[in-house]
């Protein structure tokens, strides 16, 4: 039974869970079944609300308990913190999930936990909750389960039968930085469970080929997250790790979480007046380039440019470093090359490829079909003779990249970026 | 100039196409009944909506357009926007005028009519997504779940299958306060369209969607309070971004949303 008394604990455990940025309910399409509650819609999932910080609320993101025996420096729930601790019972968690779901508040549950007693003890409790949801309450909605580092293979294989997605957070891209901040962890403790989950998924695929009715194992794959700005690791360290992870067949999403100074007293950590949101955003843009725009990580960050340009997006940044690749003729260029044009997204590139089959496109046509020309116009040529718009536009090569860069940086973005850089200057002193 | 007037329904529009081909003419403008006639109207033809004719036109379209294009056309019809009529009429006529081996114009977004219809369909699809996101149910004593909405476009028909599939074991009612009708699902079979003869007797408030206290189940207040608590707690104050919140969840949806309502 849920009571008033549940409320305060739900509050505490939500406050403790909210720094995990993943919230998506993507990756599984499962229609409703008779006698069961719920379905999953696939695609990007459904955001049911948006919090005052603008983040999507899709899943009930909560911890089973925020007590933890570990002492990871970047975490609010570390054992040396003096914060209110709470635990929800298995029944309470199951009930809240079902009641919220039936009112269309959420797509499902994202459950994690601090480590109590030992990893297996904790993992067992998490498994008990998802098992109860699936078998007793016939819950057919989305479940994302955080795996507890150090939990046994046996428990992970059980969990995988109930969860749509599982995740283990790397948090810090370089092992030496991780060991400094979380002495009880190393990369092995992260990669081991990732490997086990992957193995489970691949074996399950094999089983399902042979027995069509074998239950599915973690159908929405894995995700992970890295904290940004808690260590000196560069964007290159971060994105190289992401790119390596995306090379794994079951890794679907890497999330980036701008570090929120939760433990200001710890001298191993920088004191940030605000989380590095501009940098976080640039990392997400770079991540998109890796996943959907066929960029290689070395094209985005490398020895010469170990960090992303905060003033401009990484695609524009690449284009300005490679003026020789432009202009691109929108009437003849491959789809892949259209994707490299600053300002052209997947949608615009598709519109162009579709529409140009009916006749040559002028810049007037491009505008009409909804291509945003603000950036793109410096990097493309089109069927200008037919265009009723007067005047030719100077391209990136005539203008030179430095001048174009100055033209394209928006004053607001520059101001935000500057502010962020000043706030992070006192790093590590 | 030749002008057609029709009743504003999709069937009526398809009948107008039928008539245009039957009478070997291409009207310059399509009006809805009651619109003021343009100045130079020489010939006015009043279209009598005819399901059989409409069906024949639709069957013809099915042979000429992809399923996706057909879906977008029917979706655009739920917009109820008068600016849809002329582009859609032209789009359909052009499709029939193509030579039999001609390439369908459905993806030619440089064509203003195709573009207009596609854009309107996209807006409608966006609105139905928002209903799937933002509909909030309250539970009544008898176990029925109630939700009130007032979408920009007439999207209930597009979303009820989603809710039937998802909540197939719970009875629910989703009611469009703007268009005065809803769908009721009693826990099995198909949801049915319902209207109330006297809307003042409904057990919910049309302005904020709240179920009246004598009907509301005893634990619903607690669930709503839990949800509001969760909604507040999940926000990271260091990252406050009300602008993004408003962009993704415009204020006009808030009035029916539990987390945005006080007690
Ligand atoms: S193990 Fe997890 S919950 Fe515990 S301190 Fe480390 S990050 Fe926080």
């Amino acid at each position: 039974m849920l009571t008033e008394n549940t409320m305060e604990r739900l509050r505490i455990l939500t406050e403790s869970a909210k720094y995990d940025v993943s919230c998506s309910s993507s990756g599984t399409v499962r229609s409703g079944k008779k006698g069961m509650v719920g379905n999953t819609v696939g695609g990007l999932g459904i955001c049911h609300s948006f919090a005052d910080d603008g983040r999507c609320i899709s899943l009930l993101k909560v911890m089973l308990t925020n007590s933890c025996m570990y002492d990871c420096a970047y975490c609010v729930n570390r054992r040396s913190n003096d914060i209110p601790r709470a635990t929800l019972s298995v029944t309470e968690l199951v009930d809240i999930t079902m009641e919220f779901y039936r009112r269309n508040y959420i797509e499902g549950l994202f459950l994690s936990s601090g480590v109590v007693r030992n990893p297996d003890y904790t993992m067992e409790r998490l498994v008990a909750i998802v098992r109860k949801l699936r078998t007793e309450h016939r819950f057919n909605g989305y479940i994302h389960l955080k795996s507890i580092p150090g939990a046994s293979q046996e428990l992970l294989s059980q969990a995988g039968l109930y969860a749509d997605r599982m995740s283990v957070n790397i948090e810090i891209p370089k092992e030496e930085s991780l060991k400094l901040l979380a002495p009880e962890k190393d990369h092995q403790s992260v990669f081991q469970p990732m490997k086990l989950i992957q193995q489970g998924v691949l074996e399950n695929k094999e089983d399902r080929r042979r027995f069509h009715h074998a239950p599915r194992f973690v159908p929405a794959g894995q995700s992970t997250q890295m904290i940004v700005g808690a260590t000196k690791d560069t964007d290159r360290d971060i994105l190289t790790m992401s790119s390596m992870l995306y090379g794994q067949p079951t890794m679907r999403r890497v999330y980036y979480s701008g570090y929120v100074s939760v433990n200001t007293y710890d001298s191993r950590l920088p004191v940030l007046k605000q989380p590095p949101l501009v940098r976080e955003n640039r990392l997400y843009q770079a991540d998109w380039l890796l996943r959907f725009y066929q960029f290689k990580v070395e094209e985005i960050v490398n020895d010469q440019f170990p960090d992303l340009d905060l003033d401009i997006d990484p695609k524009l940044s690449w284009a300005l470093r490679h003026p020789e690749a432009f202009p691109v003729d929108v009437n003849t260029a491959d789809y892949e090359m259209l994707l490299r044009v600053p300002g052209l997204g997947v949608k615009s590139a598709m519109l162009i490829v579709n529409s140009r089959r009916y006749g040559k496109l002028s810049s007037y046509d491009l505008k009409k079909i909804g291509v945003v020309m603000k950036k793109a116009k410096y990097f493309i040529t089109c069927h200008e003779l037919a265009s009723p718009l007067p005047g030719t536009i100077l391209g990136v090569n005539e203008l030179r990249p430095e001048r174009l860069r100055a033209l394209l940086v928006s004053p607001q973005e520059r101001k935000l970026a500057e502010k962020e850089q000043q706030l992070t200057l006192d790093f590590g002193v | 100039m030749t002008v057609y007037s029709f009743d504003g329904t999709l069937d009526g529009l398809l009948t107008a196409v039928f008539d245009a081909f039957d009478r070997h003419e291409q009207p310059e403008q399509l009006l809805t009944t009651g619109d003021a006639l343009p100045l130079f109207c020489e010939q006015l033809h009043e279209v009598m909506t005819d399901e059989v004719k409409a069906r024949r036109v639709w069957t013809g379209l099915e042979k000429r357009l992809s399923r996706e294009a057909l879906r977008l056309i029917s979706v655009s019809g739920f917009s109820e926007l008068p600016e849809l009529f002329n582009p859609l009429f032209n789009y359909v006529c052009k499709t029939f005028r193509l030579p039999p081996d001609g390439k369908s114009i459905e993806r030619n977004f440089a064509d203003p009519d195709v573009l207009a219809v596609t854009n309107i369909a996209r807006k409608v699809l966006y609105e139905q997504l928002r209903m799937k996101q933002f509909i909030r149910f309250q539970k009544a004593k008898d176990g029925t779940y109630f939700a009130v909405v007032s979408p920009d476009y007439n999207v209930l028909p597009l979303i009820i299958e989603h809710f039937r599939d998802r909540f197939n074991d719970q009875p629910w009612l989703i009611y469009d306060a703007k268009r005065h009708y809803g769908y009721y699902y009693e826990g099995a079979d198909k949801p049915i369209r319902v209207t109330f003869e006297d809307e003042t007797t409904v057990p919910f408030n049309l302005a904020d969607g709240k179920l009246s206290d004598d009907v509301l189940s005893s634990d619903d207040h607690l669930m709503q309070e839990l949800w509001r608590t969760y909604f507040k707690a999940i926000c990271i104050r260091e990252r406050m971004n009300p602008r993004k919140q408003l962009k993704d969840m415009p204020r006009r949806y808030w009035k029916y949303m539990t987390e945005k309502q006080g007690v």
Side-chain angles (χ1 to χ4, degrees):
Chain A
M1 253 306 262
L2 300 174
T3 62
E4 291 289 330
N5 171 285
T6 316
M7 195 105 62
E8 179 57 10
R9 279 176 294 130
L10 176 65
R11 191 188 63 73
I12 293 171
L13 290 165
T14 305
E15 296 267 0
S16 281
K18 69 185 175 191
Y19 299 99
D20 206 308
V21 291
S22 152
C23 184
S24 100
S25 51
S26 59
T28 330
V29 185
R30 191 171 53 234
S31 41
K33 289 193 192 74
K34 205 146 184 52
M36 299 186 86
V37 193
N39 61 12
T40 58
V41 297
L44 299 171
I46 294 178
C47 289
H48 282 280
S49 195
F50 291 86
D52 294 340
D53 56 14
R55 296 190 306 158
C56 154
I57 301 178
S58 182
L59 304 172
L60 168 63
K61 189 191 304 182
V62 69
M63 292 179 109
L64 168 65
T65 176
N66 65 345
S67 303
C68 189
M69 54 192 242
Y70 291 135
D71 206 33
C72 310
Y74 44 78
C75 176
V76 249
N77 305 311
R78 59 188 289 192
R79 77 170 171 258
S80 44
N81 270 5
D82 180 21
I83 55 161
R85 306 281 174 174
T87 303
L88 284 166
S89 73
V90 172
T91 333
E92 279 175 314
L93 256 168
V94 167
D95 287 350
I96 300 174
T97 308
M98 294 306 295
E99 296 286 352
F100 278 14
Y101 192 79
R102 286 187 179 282
R103 286 168 177 76
N104 206 41
Y105 298 165
I106 53 172
E107 283 297 287
L109 175 65
F110 176 4
L111 185 61
S112 63
S113 181
V115 188
V116 277
R117 262 194 247 177
N118 60 60
D120 272 354
Y121 176 86
T122 313
M123 194 68 199
E124 246 170 64
R125 258 143 214 77
L126 295 183
V127 174
I129 292 165
V130 291
R131 181 191 297 121
K132 202 171 157 99
L133 271 172
R134 290 286 195 229
T135 55
E136 276 174 46
H137 292 260
R138 315 290 289 157
F139 179 65
N140 195 33
Y142 198 90
I143 296 180
H144 178 159
L145 194 63
K146 266 293 262 303
S147 150
I148 301 298
S152 70
Q153 172 161 20
E154 169 59 24
L155 283 168
L156 285 182
S157 334
Q158 285 185 39
L161 291 176
Y162 306 114
D164 287 287
R165 170 164 287 178
M166 291 185 72
S167 62
V168 194
N169 287 351
I170 297 192
E171 307 291 18
I172 309 291
K174 286 183 97 171
E175 188 163 31
E176 68 239 44
S177 317
L178 177 68
K179 281 184 169 156
L180 175 73
L181 295 183
E184 290 119 328
K185 289 183 180 169
D186 55 22
H187 270 174
Q188 186 56 23
S189 66
V190 178
F191 291 140
Q192 186 59 23
M194 275 186 186
K195 241 184 10 220
L196 290 176
I197 296 167
Q198 174 166 313
Q199 240 172 37
V201 175
L202 297 180
E203 281 168 16
N204 178 246
K205 274 212 180 111
E206 197 45 49
D207 287 351
R208 284 173 58 84
R209 209 163 299 153
R210 280 181 289 152
F211 318 102
H212 206 65
H213 290 289
R216 296 194 69 180
F217 189 91
V218 199
Q222 315 192 46
S223 67
T224 190
Q225 118 171 344
M226 279 182 267
I227 297 177
V228 178
T231 62
K232 286 181 190 168
D233 301 347
T234 60
D235 292 339
R236 186 182 178 208
D237 298 325
I238 295 173
L239 290 168
T240 306
M241 176 61 83
S242 306
S243 152
M244 193 276 280
L245 290 167
Y246 284 133
Q248 307 296 308
T250 59
M251 182 56 67
R252 298 292 168 78
R253 279 302 299 274
V254 176
Y255 290 91
Y256 308 93
S257 170
Y259 175 62
V260 180
S261 282
V262 281
N263 302 323
T264 40
Y265 60 86
D266 194 318
S267 62
R268 288 170 295 174
L269 291 162
V271 180
L272 304 181
K273 293 202 188 68
Q274 66 171 52
L277 298 181
V278 179
R279 184 175 172 202
E280 179 192 285
N281 180 41
R282 296 291 177 226
L283 282 165
Y284 276 112
Q285 290 172 326
D287 186 271
W288 274 74
L289 296 185
L290 291 177
R291 288 190 297 146
F292 303 117
Y293 288 76
Q294 302 164 22
F295 274 77
K296 293 204 177 58
V297 67
E298 312 79 54
E299 295 181 284
I300 307 170
V301 275
N302 47 44
D303 278 341
Q304 211 186 340
F305 304 98
D307 285 303
L308 297 170
D309 190 331
L310 291 184
D311 289 348
I312 54 175
D313 70 79
K315 196 162 94 173
L316 178 57
S317 176
W318 176 85
L320 292 175
R321 295 198 312 245
H322 294 277
E324 75 283 357
F326 299 97
V328 165
D329 185 340
V330 293
N331 282 302
T332 56
D334 299 343
Y335 174 70
E336 288 70 36
M337 201 53 220
L338 289 175
L339 284 181
R340 296 225 160 197
V341 175
L344 291 191
V346 172
K347 198 177 136 222
S348 303
M350 284 304 291
L351 280 172
I352 290 173
V353 171
N354 276 321
S355 301
R356 74 186 180 191
R357 288 184 291 153
Y358 297 91
K360 284 206 166 167
L361 300 172
S362 67
S363 61
Y364 176 71
D365 294 323
L366 291 177
K367 269 193 204 143
K368 237 178 24 180
I369 64 178
V371 173
V372 182
M373 297 288 275
K374 201 175 142 244
K375 285 183 207 161
K377 65 182 176 199
Y378 301 104
F379 298 93
I380 55 171
T381 51
C382 42
H383 193 50
E384 281 314 335
L385 289 178
S387 166
L389 295 183
T392 37
I393 294 152
L394 290 178
V396 56
N397 287 299
E398 293 83 53
L399 274 169
R400 317 224 49 80
E402 314 77 60
R403 274 181 56 209
L404 182 55
R405 183 180 189 284
L407 264 178
L408 288 177
V409 175
S410 91
Q412 293 129 292
E413 282 190 64
R414 139 106 22 103
K415 234 171 77 197
L416 281 175
E418 252 169 37
K419 198 167 139 212
E420 186 165 307
Q421 262 161 334
Q422 280 164 6
L423 289 174
T424 43
L425 270 186
D426 50 357
F427 194 99
V429 273
Chain B
M1 128 172 173
T2 310
V3 174
Y4 281 17
S5 90
F6 81 120
D7 62 0
T9 64
L10 190 58
D11 272 354
L13 189 138
L14 295 174
T15 310
V17 174
F18 186 97
D19 288 0
F21 280 84
D22 197 39
R23 299 156 62 102
H24 301 286
E25 61 190 9
Q26 177 68 26
E28 274 91 5
Q29 222 181 335
L30 190 63
L31 297 175
T32 39
T33 323
D35 281 352
L37 288 182
L39 219 43
F40 301 105
C41 172
E42 281 139 19
Q43 205 200 345
L44 174 72
H45 166 63
E46 199 135 344
V47 176
M48 300 313 244
T49 301
D50 179 333
E51 260 182 55
V52 179
K53 290 180 184 168
R55 181 115 297 275
R56 276 181 60 188
V57 173
W58 187 257
T59 316
L61 278 181
E62 281 175 339
K63 292 197 191 100
R64 289 169 172 83
L65 294 176
S66 72
R67 278 177 59 187
E68 176 60 12
L70 290 165
R71 189 177 81 101
L72 289 180
I73 289 179
S74 27
V75 163
S76 71
F78 290 101
S79 69
E80 301 175 325
L81 291 173
E83 61 263 37
L84 169 71
F85 300 144
N86 280 294
L88 182 54
F89 180 77
N90 295 338
Y91 179 177
V92 175
C93 289
K94 279 184 207 165
T95 299
F96 283 108
R97 292 237 157 73
L98 284 176
D101 55 344
K103 192 160 46 170
S104 150
I105 56 165
E106 64 190 61
R107 296 218 213 186
N108 184 6
F109 303 110
D111 180 303
D113 296 317
V114 176
L115 186 69
V117 172
T118 311
N119 282 344
I120 289 177
R122 284 219 184 93
K123 280 196 220 161
V124 176
L125 287 175
Y126 198 21
E127 186 68 2
Q128 62 96 33
L129 172 65
R130 282 174 154 165
M131 288 301 113
K132 291 178 187 169
Q133 297 177 279
F134 302 145
I135 274 183
R136 297 287 178 265
F137 287 112
Q138 301 149 78
K139 188 180 176 184
K141 285 204 176 82
D142 72 351
T144 307
Y145 288 77
F146 283 83
V148 181
V149 290
S150 56
D152 290 351
Y153 309 118
N154 183 21
V155 294
L156 286 202
L158 296 171
I159 60 168
I160 49 156
E161 176 47 28
H162 168 80
F163 285 99
R164 192 211 52 79
D165 188 56
R166 173 162 292 198
F167 301 117
N168 68 71
D169 73 337
Q170 76 191 43
W172 48 255
L173 175 82
I174 299 173
Y175 193 75
D176 183 336
K178 206 188 261 177
R179 295 171 187 80
H180 313 285
Y181 81 99
Y183 281 93
Y184 173 64
Y185 172 73
E186 45 94 63
D189 296 333
K190 275 179 67 168
I192 47 170
R193 194 176 193 279
V194 291
T195 49
F196 295 94
E197 242 167 69
D198 179 4
E199 228 183 20
T200 56
T201 62
V202 294
F204 42 82
N205 181 332
L206 291 175
D208 61 12
K210 286 188 185 169
L211 265 188
S212 20
D213 276 337
D214 51 325
V215 179
L216 195 69
S217 79
S218 56
D219 63 352
D220 208 79
H221 274 309
L222 176 65
M223 297 312 153
Q224 293 187 30
E225 222 24 73
L226 279 170
W227 174 238
R228 280 189 278 267
T229 303
Y230 177 77
F231 180 79
K232 270 187 221 122
I234 198 72
C235 163
I236 299 180
R237 281 170 291 279
E238 291 85 347
R239 304 180 61 120
M240 277 305 214
N241 194 345
R243 266 184 50 204
K244 176 155 185 313
Q245 181 189 42
L246 274 173
K247 185 180 142 277
D248 290 325
M249 191 167 81
R251 208 180 282 278
R252 64 178 180 278
Y253 299 100
W254 292 11
K255 61 179 174 213
Y256 299 124
M257 295 178 68
T258 313
E259 60 269 39
K260 283 295 180 185
Q261 292 170 334
V263 222

